[in-house]
């Protein structure tokens, strides 16, 4: 495991139990509700979540009656998910432990901005590999008006991209059919969310 990954795991191991108790913010709540409704409306029966965290989204997705699998680099996160009865695995976004075309849809929120260098390209290629063509992918990350990278006081690595950069990366996965942003930080950053039809 890289130093960047080890520091992320160290951070999230310490605070995952507290994160499990945090309510979803309004924007996440809206997107998650819409995602679950979309799964039902389109008859999409299986979902992979990358960066499942404490299982807050996964519990809701699985509760919709779809087959759900989550992965996270942090063992404490996977333990919490399993405690909720979810199928969860310790694995990296860059090396998903699933066969090609295993899922109808993918969901990854607040995770891919933690990947350094070109790892986000690998992670998106992995999502494209395990979600079948014509399937759905929803992605949310912390973005900004200028691209940049930093490590916070807790040792977590972040890489922010502009909306154009993120759209370009997602274009390698399929057709970006929706893209939205909203204020997330007081320092000029914003949240980026996209819905992609996998090609
Ligand atoms: C900010 S938390 C978000 C968790 C959850 N998606 C949510 O929104 O509540 C980021 C998560 O990404 C996970 N993570 C970081 N790098 C990862 C990687 N390379 N592969 C898989 N998970 C990773 C962390 O362990 C952590 O659980």
């Amino acid at each position: 495991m890289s130093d960047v990954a080890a520091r992320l795991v160290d951070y999230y191991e310490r605070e995952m139990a507290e994160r499990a108790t945090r309510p979803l913010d309004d924007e996440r709540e809206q997107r998650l509700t819409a995602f679950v409704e979309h799964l039902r409306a389109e008859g999409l029966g299986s979902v992979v979540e990358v960066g499942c965290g404490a299982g807050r989204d996964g519990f809701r997705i699985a509760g919709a009656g779809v087959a759900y699998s989550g992965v996270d680099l942090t063992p404490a996160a996977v333990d919490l998910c399993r405690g909720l009865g979810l199928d969860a695995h310790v694995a990296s976004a860059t090396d998903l432990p699933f066969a090609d075309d295993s899922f109808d849809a993918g969901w990854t929120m607040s995770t891919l901005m933690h990947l350094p260098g070109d790892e986000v390209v690998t992670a998106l290629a992995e999502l494209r590999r395990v979600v079948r063509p014509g399937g759905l992918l929803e992605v949310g990350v912390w973005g900004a008006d200028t691209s940049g990278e930093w490590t916070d006081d807790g040792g977590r690595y972040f890489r922010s991209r502009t909306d154009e950069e993120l759209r370009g990366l997602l274009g390698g996965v399929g057709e970006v059919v929706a893209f939205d942003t909203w204020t997330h930080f007081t320092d000029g950053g914003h949240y980026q969310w996209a819905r992609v039809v996998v090609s």
Side-chain angles (χ1 to χ4, degrees):
M1 185 182 288
S2 70
D3 284 352
V4 165
R7 282 195 294 272
L8 284 163
V9 169
D10 183 58
Y11 177 92
Y12 283 115
E13 278 285 331
R14 280 184 272 115
E15 73 156 37
M16 197 53 68
E18 184 273 324
R19 278 180 171 256
T21 67
R22 288 187 199 171
L24 298 177
D25 65 32
D26 290 347
E27 288 287 356
R28 174 70 62 84
E29 181 65 45
Q30 283 175 29
R31 304 292 165 182
L32 183 58
T33 299
F35 180 70
V36 167
E37 283 173 1
H38 199 77
L39 296 174
R40 283 202 185 103
E42 299 293 321
L44 303 175
S46 53
V47 174
V48 59
E49 180 176 16
V50 170
C52 52
R56 296 179 308 167
D57 295 358
F59 188 70
R60 292 269 297 278
I61 293 167
V66 302
Y68 168 93
S69 293
V71 302
D72 201 288
L73 209 50
T74 301
V78 169
D79 287 346
L80 283 162
C81 287
R82 289 179 176 165
L84 294 171
L86 299 172
D87 178 54
H89 308 264
V90 177
S92 173
T94 57
D95 188 15
L96 298 178
F98 307 111
D100 297 359
D101 302 337
S102 294
F103 300 96
D104 293 330
W107 173 262
T108 178
M109 295 292 141
S110 303
T111 295
L112 298 185
M113 73 281 160
H114 281 322
L115 274 55
D118 288 340
E119 284 189 18
V120 70
V121 176
T122 307
L124 289 172
E126 277 292 88
L127 275 161
R128 185 184 183 194
R129 180 182 67 75
V130 303
V131 177
R132 65 165 172 79
L136 179 72
L137 173 64
E138 296 203 10
V139 177
V141 286
W142 302 12
D145 293 338
T146 55
S147 53
E149 58 183 347
W150 73 95
T151 300
D152 74 3
D153 292 343
R156 288 184 301 173
Y157 171 87
F158 288 87
R159 169 73 201 269
S160 64
R161 293 179 170 80
T162 66
D163 299 346
E164 291 69 29
E165 285 174 310
L166 180 61
R167 277 177 172 277
L169 287 168
L170 295 174
V173 178
E175 183 185 0
V176 180
V177 294
F179 192 97
D180 199 6
T181 65
W182 56 86
T183 303
H184 192 57
F185 307 106
T186 51
D187 63 358
H190 57 264
Y191 204 81
Q192 298 161 323
W193 166 88
R195 173 177 285 173
V196 182
V197 175
V198 176
S199 58

